[in-house]
Amino acid sequence: DAKTTQPPSMDCAEGRAANLPCNHSTISGNEYVYWYRQIHSQGPQYIIHGLKNNETNEMASLIITEDRKSSTLILPHATLRDTAVYYCILPQGGGSNYKLTFGKGTLLTVNP
Amino acid sequence: GAGVSQSPSNKVTEKGKDVELRCDPISGHTALYWYRQSLGQGLEFLIYFQGNSAPDKSGLPSDRFSAERTGGSVSTLTIQRTQQEDSAVYLCASSFEVSPETQYFGPGTRLLVL
């Protein structure tokens, strides 16, 4: 499977934009990039996904580079409740794309 | 609408006892998944249901683990003769069949085996 690389931790000030990077240099042409997050003591939560175009929803924006080798999740105005571990995931292909493989992710700490 | 619910939220049991964990998926979601998360670790896939059948049981760690789903809805994960290494948070998720990558997770059951 294509692997993803994320920084282990990041800090962000409340109200500022949080930009979370993910490298996926071995991504294949038809693999989507998915982002989930896990707030402490809760189950993971789907955030957003994309293939090659930038995407935006009520939670976040996803910017994917033209070569698709990396992406950035943007939380435009981070709040304290956005403190969580953020996972960048490329669901397995070949008919087994239901298996979400969660790596270590990035622990985002939003500070007051 | 209601999200995925799991029960019990916490379970403490003695080594060697059997436990049963329950998952109620979102109404209309035909796909259901079980994962577990040990302390400080990532999520580990256990099993996937499409309707009442389980096309992939490859993640079940041993034959002490089993799962079933009836009526295309509620699922139970049973662990027989629990061991201390079974202590973890057991997470259930559900999705529409056509978008298995977009999964909605429940709050989990925290299992502690003494």
Side-chain angles (χ1 to χ4, degrees):
Chain A
D1 340 323
K3 286 188 60 173
T4 63
T5 305
Q6 300 177 252
S9 64
M10 294 183 66
D11 284 282
C12 178
E14 187 178 18
R16 303 299 291 269
N19 297 285
L20 296 132
C22 179
N23 286 324
H24 31 78
S25 59
T26 59
I27 192 171
S28 64
N30 60 351
E31 280 185 302
Y32 281 76
V33 181
Y34 276 72
W35 283 82
Y36 280 75
R37 73 178 182 184
Q38 188 171 23
I39 295 169
H40 183 62
S41 296
Q42 296 184 22
Q45 177 188 25
Y46 164 79
I47 301 173
I48 198 167
H49 71 278
L51 182 64
K52 55 178 134 181
N53 297 322
N54 297 337
E55 302 287 344
T56 296
N57 64 19
E58 66 278 3
M59 289 184 69
S61 294
L62 176 60
I63 309 296
I64 302 174
T65 58
E66 193 168 340
D67 64 8
R68 302 210 326 119
K69 292 186 177 182
S70 66
S71 59
T72 301
L73 180 75
I74 301 172
L75 307 179
H77 305 287
T79 70
L80 299 179
R81 288 178 294 180
D82 292 323
T83 292
V85 179
Y86 287 77
Y87 298 96
C88 170
I89 298 170
L90 278 62
Q92 294 184 20
S96 300
N97 58 352
Y98 50 84
K99 285 185 185 176
L100 297 180
T101 301
F102 290 78
K104 302 261 189 221
T106 296
L107 173 60
L108 174 69
T109 303
V110 181
N111 301 303
Chain B
V4 177
S5 61
Q6 294 185 247
S7 60
S9 53
N10 292 281
K11 176 72 177 178
V12 181
T13 191
E14 293 179 347
K15 178 180 170 181
K17 295 283 178 73
D18 297 352
V19 295
E20 193 172 275
L21 313 180
R22 176 187 167 109
C23 172
D24 270 284
I26 292 173
S27 177
H29 281 187
T30 57
L32 186 147
Y33 318 82
W34 284 98
Y35 296 82
R36 75 174 175 181
Q37 187 170 33
S38 301
L39 187 62
Q41 302 298 310
L43 273 74
E44 175 189 3
F45 168 81
L46 298 179
I47 188 170
Y48 154 61
F49 283 94
Q50 185 52 255
N52 291 335
S53 66
D56 188 348
K57 307 179 183 179
S58 63
L60 295 177
S62 75
D63 58 9
R64 296 186 295 105
F65 287 72
S66 63
E68 65 175 18
R69 189 178 185 198
T70 55
S73 182
V74 171
S75 175
T76 54
L77 177 70
T78 301
I79 309 173
Q80 295 178 307
R81 305 182 302 282
T82 52
Q83 303 294 313
Q84 289 181 331
E85 62 263 27
D86 299 335
S87 297
V89 177
Y90 288 81
L91 289 153
C92 175
S94 70
S95 76
F96 290 111
E97 178 181 354
V98 295
S99 55
E101 306 89 344
T102 306
Q103 298 179 15
Y104 296 86
F105 284 79
T109 292
R110 285 153 188 78
L111 175 66
L112 177 61
V113 182
L114 301 176

